[in-house]
Structure formats: structure tokens, C-alpha cells
Amino acid sequence: MDKEKLIKRIMKECEADGEPVTREEAEEMAEMEIKANKDCRRYETDVTKKQKPAQREPKIDPDKVTIIDSIAHQLTRCVWLDSEKEISDIQIINSQKEIAFKVGEDSYSVTLTKHRVKKK
């Protein structure tokens, strides 16, 4: 910005605020503002380097895996009193959490939840 324009702008702003300044004071203020703008560091973010989320490896709970396997095995052995319906398409969706299966034409799923110990 041109120093002369800056001086005029400072004088107008001060006058509008009700505190007029002399030309010497406006020159001094303009010099300080120019120096401040030179010393100012401007940081730009690098758009190309985006931080990837940390990859966590899930902890495997052997008890949950055993329970899911046991439930899946027991479902294969289930017999309905009503002979028209059979359990089929037993799939372990998540080895620690979910089993999906069909009874006749209807689809079902079982979700295992481990509850935390309550704090005292």
C-alpha cells in the first residue's frame, strides 16, 4: 500500500473517531503499520499433506469369539417343532459380535454385547 494513501486513511479514521491527528502523527502511525505488516509471518496450510487417521488394530476378545462360535454351532443343531421352518444360511458376520441366519424365508441376526463393570 502506498504510504501517502495510508496516511490519508489513518487521518480520516481518526477524525471519524473524534480524535483528529496531525500529519506527523499519522506518518508515524503509517510507518509502524508498514513495519508491522513486513514482520508479520503468514502461514499457509499445505493442502497436499492431509493427516491420515491412525489405524488401530482391534483387540480380539477370545471369550466373545468362543461364545459366537458356540451359538453358531448350536443354531445348526436346532430343530423346530413346526417342521415347515428350518434354520439355514448361518453366517458369522463379525467373529466377536454378530451372527446372521434365516428361519424359513425370514432373516434374523444376533448381536453379542459385553457390558462393562459399573464404577462405584
Side-chain angles (χ1 to χ4, degrees), residues 86-118:
E86 286 185 2
I87 296 179
S88 62
D89 283 342
I90 300 171
Q91 298 174 354
I92 297 176
I93 306 296
N94 182 329
S95 64
Q96 297 187 70
K97 186 176 179 182
E98 187 175 8
I99 301 172
F101 56 94
K102 285 188 173 185
V103 177
E105 295 298 317
D106 299 324
S107 297
Y108 294 91
S109 67
V110 175
T111 303
L112 179 66
T113 304
K114 181 178 181 179
H115 300 281
R116 295 182 179 183
V117 178
K118 291 184 180 180

Side-chain angles (χ1 to χ4, degrees), residues 60-73:
I60 296 177
D61 186 345
D63 294 336
K64 289 170 78 173
V65 172
T66 304
I67 292 168
I68 290 290
D69 287 339
S70 176
I71 292 171
H73 179 71

